[in-house]
Amino acid sequence: MPLIVMCGFPCSGKSQRTEELKAYFAQSTERKVHIVGDETVGIDKNCVYADSQKEKNLRGALRAEVERKVNKDDIVILDSLNYIKGYRYELFCLIKHTQTPHCLVYCLTSAEVSSTWNKSRDVEKQYTQDILDALVMRFEAPDSRNRWDSPLFTIQKEDLLPCEAISDAIFHRKAPPPNQSTQSQPLSSTSFLYELDKVTQDVLMAVLNAQKTSVPGDLIALPGATEKIELTRNLNMAELRKLRRQFISYTKTHPTENIGKIANMFVQYLNKSMH
């Protein structure tokens, strides 16, 4: 059933709004409400958000927990920063695959308000000012024009939470249709796996070679693909190999019937991962 993604600066009221939603759904529906978030996995926030690898592991753990909780009967609320555009896109792909609606609740505050609220917390629950400032600087605000950020509910601190509108968005709206990169298809594995390995390797090498003579902002044409890489930054071999492994791992379980689309799917994946 539906996924509600909370989003906002540290100490912007996300957990309070989450509890308001949980209370509303407890009164208005018999569905269970599962809350997944930093608090539920028990982390030391200052330790995790000071280390990019630990933070990445946290996002992976939260995504996996959401995937476990999402089912045909219950409501899942992801109460975390969810401040990276690419991560919200991953969550969107997850709900497309599971065929369930979702929405985004953006708790909009200023950095000054978040800092003040942070200082009012118990000491052991506070972010250090350096960590809070860094997270605010890295925050990628949601945009309702992006399908993965829509429908979007932007809530300021003095606003009442529009619970009925949120309920309508997740219960009376169709789930996004699966696309070529998320829909499982029956397929003979031998030729598909060979092409998947070969095409992604060819694209990877083409990106590496093109980067030698390209600068950020260039569009790179790639073998077998009609779409182009938008080079926003250089990717080293280790990062490209990691992205290739992730793409192959996912695509093996969600193959496309049209092998000719593999290159474009990989290019789309790389473009999303670089932003």
Side-chain angles (χ1 to χ4, degrees):
M1 273 264 76
L3 171 65
I4 300 174
V5 178
M6 308 302 291
C7 178
F9 288 169
C11 306
S12 57
K14 297 183 297 300
S15 295
Q16 177 184 333
R17 299 299 194 174
T18 295
E19 290 300 325
E20 289 178 32
L21 281 170
K22 183 178 181 180
Y24 171 80
F25 288 123
Q27 293 181 341
S28 63
T29 180
E30 296 182 356
R31 301 179 190 276
K32 291 181 180 178
V33 177
H34 300 285
I35 297 174
V36 177
D38 295 3
E39 299 297 329
T40 64
V41 295
I43 61 165
D44 180 337
K45 289 180 288 196
N46 289 306
C47 177
V48 168
Y49 288 113
D51 184 314
S52 60
Q53 187 57 50
K54 289 180 180 177
E55 185 183 342
K56 185 175 182 179
N57 291 342
L58 170 64
R59 290 196 298 270
L62 292 174
R63 184 188 183 283
E65 187 63 19
V66 166
E67 193 166 15
R68 282 193 290 271
K69 296 289 188 185
V70 168
N71 61 57
K72 64 184 179 66
D73 298 315
D74 303 338
I75 301 165
V76 180
I77 304 176
L78 179 55
D79 177 21
S80 189
L81 300 175
N82 300 314
Y83 71 98
I84 298 174
K85 179 170 61 175
Y87 183 59
R88 296 197 298 268
Y89 177 76
E90 288 180 25
L91 295 169
F92 177 71
C93 290
L94 185 156
I95 64 101
K96 287 189 76 170
H97 176 58
T98 54
Q99 283 292 275
T100 184
H102 94 310
C103 73
L104 195 73
V105 177
Y106 176 25
C107 297
L108 176 61
T109 60
S110 67
E112 291 75 17
V113 167
S114 289
S115 182
T116 299
W117 285 356
N118 180 55
K119 291 171 183 174
S120 69
R121 288 181 166 187
D122 294 337
V123 174
E124 65 274 11
K125 293 185 177 180
Q126 290 182 15
Y127 292 86
T128 66
Q129 192 62 45
D130 285 347
I131 293 296
L132 189 145
D133 289 344
L135 288 168
V136 168
M137 285 290 292
R138 298 201 298 267
F139 188 84
E140 297 177 335
D143 184 341
S144 61
R145 292 172 296 181
N146 297 328
R147 62 193 185 282
W148 56 89
D149 288 336
S150 179
L152 173 65
F153 298 90
T154 301
I155 315 298
Q156 300 192 49
K157 61 187 179 70
E158 65 274 9
D159 293 341
L160 292 175
L161 191 63
C163 294
E164 288 189 16
I166 292 171
S167 178
D168 285 344
I170 60 176
F171 290 132
H172 302 141
R173 189 173 61 91
K174 290 183 178 180
N179 61 18
Q180 205 65 52
S181 62
T182 60
Q183 190 172 16
S184 264
Q185 303 278 1
L187 192 72
S188 59
S189 62
T190 307
S191 61
F192 174 75
L193 294 178
Y194 170 79
E195 288 297 325
L196 178 63
D197 183 76
K198 181 179 182 300
V199 169
T200 53
Q201 182 64 26
D202 288 346
V203 170
L204 183 148
M205 295 309 299
V207 171
L208 280 174
N209 290 330
Q211 285 182 155
K212 296 174 184 177
T213 56
S214 302
V215 296
D218 285 353
L219 292 176
I220 301 175
L222 299 164
T226 57
E227 299 198 21
K228 297 180 179 180
I229 287 282
E230 182 183 350
L231 191 65
T232 56
R233 60 184 175 87
N234 279 349
L235 298 168
N236 59 37
M237 175 62 88
E239 189 174 5
L240 279 169
R241 283 176 173 169
K242 184 175 183 181
L243 290 171
R244 177 174 176 261
R245 286 197 302 271
Q246 292 172 344
F247 176 78
I248 287 175
S249 176
Y250 187 79
T251 309
K252 279 181 179 178
T253 56
H254 306 86
T256 172
E257 287 184 327
N258 188 343
I259 290 177
K261 291 188 176 182
I262 293 174
N264 276 337
M265 288 165 56
F266 189 37
V267 170
Q268 291 170 6
Y269 183 82
L270 291 175
N271 277 329
K272 295 295 182 186
S273 300
M274 283 195 289
H275 289 181

